[in-house]
Amino acid sequence: MTTPSSRPYRTPAEDPTWATVARLVDWLDAHCSDLSPEAARLLRILKITEEAGEVAEAVHGALGSNPRKGDSHTWADVERELCDVILTAMVALRSLTPDAGQRFADHLGHVAGRSLGG
């Protein structure tokens, strides 16, 4: 059985996730050709907030905290919405730099080092 710690490390260039994100950015660029590159990047960054709002809505729905809507969502809905936030942030980062995977890996290492101590 493979455990997370026994999996071979992949560099960001080897990670198929970032390759897929790059393809999504290319697809978005092709479908947003009427926007300037600066406007497209800005809108992708702002999209993160929209997606975060959908997480909040799903949490309220999973908790049934809105009496008008009741139990409108499940925790699986919250998980899907969180994935949308992560993917949207990845697309936004990749829209800013072609080295998004390395930037993220470097930042993760920095945060882990600071928080987990080495």
Side-chain angles (χ1 to χ4, degrees):
M1 177 163 81
T2 302
T3 62
S5 61
S6 68
R7 289 188 196 135
Y9 174 77
R10 284 190 249 191
T11 67
E14 298 168 326
D15 186 344
T17 301
W18 285 104
T20 301
V21 169
R23 289 177 42 225
L24 287 168
V25 169
D26 291 344
W27 176 80
L28 285 168
D29 287 346
H31 288 84
C32 297
S33 58
D34 56 328
L35 295 173
S36 71
E38 295 80 16
R41 286 192 298 264
L42 179 60
L43 290 173
R44 289 173 195 168
I45 293 166
L46 293 175
K47 180 79 172 162
I48 298 166
T49 303
E50 178 185 336
E51 294 297 341
E54 291 177 15
V55 172
E57 181 180 3
V59 168
H60 281 285
L63 294 173
S65 63
N66 183 336
R68 188 173 51 81
K69 292 184 179 180
D71 295 328
S72 59
H73 291 77
T74 65
W75 287 105
D77 294 325
V78 175
E79 292 169 7
R80 281 188 291 276
E81 295 299 344
L82 284 169
C83 288
D84 284 347
V85 170
I86 294 165
L87 180 56
T88 301
M90 293 174 80
V91 165
L93 181 58
R94 179 58 177 78
S95 295
L96 293 174
T97 177
D99 296 326
Q102 189 60 56
R103 295 283 167 90
F104 181 75
D106 292 347
H107 188 71
L108 178 60
H110 172 74
V111 171
R114 180 183 67 211
S115 302
L116 304 174

